[in-house]
Amino acid sequence: MNKVLEVPAEEPSRGSITCVGLGMTLGSHLTPIARSYIEQADVVFAGVSNAIVEQWLQRMHKDVRSLQSNYGEGKPRSKTYLEWVDLMMTEVRTGRRVCGVFYGHPGVFAWSPHKVIEVARSEGYDAQMEPGISAEDCLYADLGIDPGSHGCQHFEVNQLVFFKRRLDPTAYLVLWQVAMIANESISKADASAPYRQLLVDRLSRDYPLDHEIIVYRAATLPIEEPRIRKATLRDIATIAMTAEETVVVPPAQAPQRDEEFIRRMEAIRSMHEKPVSA
Ligand SMILES: C[S@@+](CC[C@H](N)C(=O)[O-])C[C@H]1O[C@@H](n2cnc3c(N)ncnc32)[C@H](O)[C@@H]1O
């Protein structure tokens, strides 16, 4: 008797979201897996800061939607970022494979990629993040800093002025979004100069005002060089700074030995090294 072959009904496509990073330098930092998520998506959302990058993405996918138009002068960035999540989730909910593309690492100082993944998972959709090369990775390479040598603390700049945070002046300090201090919108970064004096006042509790700092910009085009400007801590208030720069404060003091823990460590070591008696 002939067996009737049952063709399984095609599974309805499940929506999904993957957030990937482009890295900092156009073209050269994109990982193979990020490229493949972009190419295989049904729709790509671009949270990148520059039209050249968007055009480059359009060569990889025919449906690239810019998220830039959601920014607005005077409009809180938090509102814009929530809109990004809604735009991406709307497509996920219709069963499409969505790829959110962000510059650098999609999860480093970036709210929407984390949020959209959280929302998608809470609604039962597949959601994941692929790491990318961030400004942090570039600065270790360009400034010759190994975070393991002294330790390294990272702060979004508003965290330092709005909250009582503890700084360790024996480690590196990396300050993100300095030009955007106290700026909830996308207005001119230079308007931040008076607010930056507050940051200097805060930092001066832990560092001398003439301590050398670095204002760093990673190359975003392969033809560019990284920009590395040295200044003093007090200059942070007045030096011209763009939204694409990160401030690095090197250690100002040597760490103090903790004699109590050194003694306890030696006591443990000497116990372990005792010869076992027969
Ligand atoms: C919203 S965060 C995005 C960071 C990004 N996701 C990453 O992985 O580096 C923006 C901040 O990143 C830093 N940044 C952006 N572009 C940079 C560049 N070309 N060089 C150095 N820092 C940069 C600045 O501190 C800026 O205020």
Side-chain angles (χ1 to χ4, degrees), residues 56-171:
W56 179 74
L57 269 175
Q58 280 156 3
R59 298 205 325 240
M60 275 184 264
H61 200 283
K62 59 182 187 330
D63 189 0
V64 175
R65 303 182 192 174
S66 173
L67 292 168
Q68 288 304 302
S69 56
N70 289 74
Y71 281 119
E73 185 75 33
K75 176 176 172 182
R77 276 178 289 150
S78 53
K79 188 163 190 283
T80 301
Y81 298 153
L82 208 52
E83 288 172 2
W84 289 5
V85 172
D86 284 344
L87 284 169
M88 290 186 273
M89 279 310 299
T90 301
E91 294 298 327
V92 172
R93 290 179 188 122
T94 62
R96 307 189 82 197
R97 276 170 307 178
V98 178
C99 185
V101 181
F102 300 86
Y103 75 92
H105 184 307
V108 171
F109 292 85
W111 185 83
S112 305
H114 285 294
K115 190 68 187 173
V116 75
I117 286 172
E118 180 195 320
V119 173
R121 284 183 181 158
S122 74
E123 295 181 18
Y125 297 103
D126 283 344
Q128 63 196 316
M129 182 181 283
E130 284 298 329
I133 295 178
S134 68
E136 174 185 359
D137 300 305
C138 296
L139 77 81
Y140 294 144
D142 292 332
L143 303 181
I145 292 172
D146 180 346
S149 64
H150 294 80
C152 190
Q153 52 210 317
H154 289 256
F155 282 98
E156 198 280 329
V157 71
N158 291 302
Q159 291 271 322
L160 281 189
V161 285
F162 288 116
F163 301 100
K164 292 183 173 172
R165 308 302 303 253
R166 282 204 200 150
L167 292 180
D168 176 357
T170 69

Side-chain angles (χ1 to χ4, degrees), residues 24 103-105 108-109 134-135 176-177 216-218 220 243-246:
M24 299 305 292
Y103 75 92
H105 184 307
V108 171
F109 292 85
S134 68
W176 296 70
Q177 310 209 117
Y216 168 73
R217 182 187 183 279
T220 52
E244 289 189 340
E245 281 173 309
T246 298

